[in-house]
Amino acid sequence: MTFKVINPGLLTTIQDLGRPGYFHLGIPISGAMDRFALRAANLLVGNDEGAAGLEAVFMGPLLEFEVDAMVAVTGAILPPRVDGEEQPLWTAFPIKAGQSLTFDYLKGGARAYIAISGGIATKPHLGSRSTYPIGSLGGFDGRPLATGDMVPLGEGKTVKAGRTVAEALRRGPGSPAELRVLPGLYWHLITERAGKAFFDDEWKVAPEADRMGVRFRGGQPIEFAPREQPFGAGSDPSNIVDGCYSYGSIQVPGGSEPIVLHRDAVSGGGYFTLGAVVSADMDLIGQLQPHTPTRFVRVTLEEALTARRDRAALLARIREDLS
Amino acid sequence: MSVIRSPLPGTFYHKPAPDLPPFKAEGDPVAVGDVIGLVEVMKSFMEVKAEVAGTVVRFLVDNEAPVTAGAVLVELAD
């Protein structure tokens, strides 16, 4: 029970919900950048929400199936085709042994999630099948998919074709995108003017954005409040004497370009962080294309927690609809 | 008339390096498999190759300009 990779696309990796529990050892949490989309795709094909699927960035792969299966594609608008025939997004569709799955040009978003009934059945590493390519960990031999790979699948449940997530329950980024931010511990290191400008300015997603971090440019450089750098922090005012980085934290090396750390980011280092993007908006970051205009919106902890609950409620509705 | 589209979003380059001439200029012949430009995204550069042969009529995207997936980069005459 496998599918064969005829063409991997730009960068297609096996991802599940991630590898928590090792961040303190410097091993990132990994997992799908848009976990909401991966969960929905898995539910559509009758898998556990946390089953491993494929994350395809900007370009779809070309896969040939050696087994009958049910497939769902969510996240980016990357229209799938079975033997050339277009299939709907956010909907379960069947594919038969011998048929090919291909994709059209990307029409919106950045990362498509491809769930296959039974889930991908590569060997888990440290409790996850997620691929962390820099550490050669998990996924398919610790690397993105390549031409000729035979990817194993698990035993699927029987579900009906045509199961779909209602349009009102689907999520993608807007343009301009808005990311809610909770200011953090180091906020006092920057001037009031710089703090205001960070939220007032329009930023653009830089093309080098990847699974480690998403960089933004176009806003004013950060101005730091005058202070004597503590011993060990180095002379650059954006440096601190090392600290932990959370998922979603925003560092600004040299004060010029904010970087939001994502699923494959390092767990600590010597840059100050402005704060963090709220958990409810981290999935949206995974769907930002290069050059997308973006604004950061300041929120309180209470607003961040409300946003998290709203996001959980949305997912609960999808679970209910598909149960 | 045929076209070559960008396979992915990013930044389009006409040249292999800033100090080198463009891959193709207007009026140049293009064979299947010829590189007509680069798209940069996620710290890597992907070559855009012609899937049809022809002659370059014009580029529709400037050097170092942003492109979306599926955007027409070049028009070719048969």
Side-chain angles (χ1 to χ4, degrees), chain A residues 9-11 57-59 105-107 111 207-212 289-291, chain B residues 5-11 40-44 46 65-70:
Chain A
L10 177 66
L11 177 68
V57 189
F58 301 137
M59 250 180 107
Y105 287 116
L106 180 72
K107 296 196 170 72
R111 288 174 177 80
E208 51 267 55
D210 60 20
R211 289 185 45 83
M212 277 162 279
Q289 281 191 16
H291 313 297
Chain B
R5 292 173 189 274
S6 178
L8 70 176
T11 304
E40 180 196 12
V41 77
M42 294 194 302
K43 298 178 188 167
S44 54
M46 194 172 188
V67 282
T68 55

Side-chain angles (χ1 to χ4, degrees), chain A residues 38-272:
Chain A
L38 177 66
R39 287 178 194 269
N42 273 324
L43 288 167
L44 284 166
V45 299
N47 290 350
D48 287 341
E49 277 172 47
L54 297 178
E55 178 181 274
V57 189
F58 301 137
M59 250 180 107
L62 196 175
L63 309 174
E64 198 176 274
F65 279 70
E66 310 215 322
V67 61
D68 293 358
M70 201 63 80
V71 177
V73 180
T74 61
I77 305 172
L78 189 70
R81 289 178 181 270
V82 172
D83 276 359
E85 193 170 322
E86 188 164 342
Q87 304 294 323
L89 291 159
W90 296 86
T91 303
F93 58 85
I95 190 162
K96 290 201 162 58
Q99 287 188 314
S100 294
L101 179 63
T102 58
F103 293 86
D104 281 352
Y105 287 116
L106 180 72
K107 296 196 170 72
R111 288 174 177 80
Y113 292 87
I114 307 162
I116 303 154
S117 51
I120 290 170
T122 48
K123 189 171 166 257
H125 286 87
L126 300 177
S128 166
R129 294 185 168 93
S130 290
T131 317
Y132 174 48
I134 294 174
S136 300
L137 188 65
F140 195 98
D141 292 345
R143 60 166 171 77
L145 293 186
T147 300
D149 287 349
M150 303 289 290
V151 182
L153 291 168
E155 188 76 46
K157 290 185 202 131
T158 309
V159 291
K160 277 197 196 127
R163 283 155 56 88
T164 190
V165 173
E167 293 226 7
L169 303 182
R170 302 175 188 181
R171 284 295 176 270
S175 184
E178 283 195 352
L179 299 174
R180 289 168 285 190
V181 170
L182 187 63
L185 287 176
Y186 304 103
W187 190 255
H188 65 282
L189 293 185
I190 66 172
T191 63
E192 202 181 313
R193 206 186 133 269
K196 190 173 177 304
F198 174 72
F199 289 116
D200 288 348
D201 285 350
E202 186 175 273
W203 299 86
K204 278 203 166 73
V205 178
E208 51 267 55
D210 60 20
R211 289 185 45 83
M212 277 162 279
V214 177
R215 186 185 285 258
F216 295 87
R217 53 178 65 119
Q220 296 167 61
I222 300 286
E223 184 182 79
F224 292 88
R227 74 159 184 164
E228 194 180 319
Q229 285 291 92
F231 177 77
S235 55
D236 189 298
S238 68
N239 284 149
I240 55 165
V241 190
D242 283 11
C244 305
Y245 296 157
S246 71
Y247 166 55
S249 60
I250 307 165
Q251 54 178 236
V252 195
S256 58
E257 296 175 345
I259 302 171
V260 180
L261 299 186
H262 222 289
R263 305 297 304 186
D264 283 358
V266 293
S267 53
Y271 289 116
F272 96 106

Side-chain angles (χ1 to χ4, degrees), chain B residues 29-74:
Chain B
V30 173
V32 173
D34 278 3
V35 176
I36 60 101
L38 302 173
V39 177
E40 180 196 12
V41 77
M42 294 194 302
K43 298 178 188 167
S44 54
F45 292 85
M46 194 172 188
E47 293 181 336
V48 181
K49 290 180 181 164
E51 289 176 356
V52 289
T55 305
V56 176
V57 176
R58 62 183 180 128
F59 281 86
L60 282 90
V61 177
D62 288 338
N63 188 40
E64 294 183 34
V67 282
T68 55
V72 175
L73 301 171
V74 183

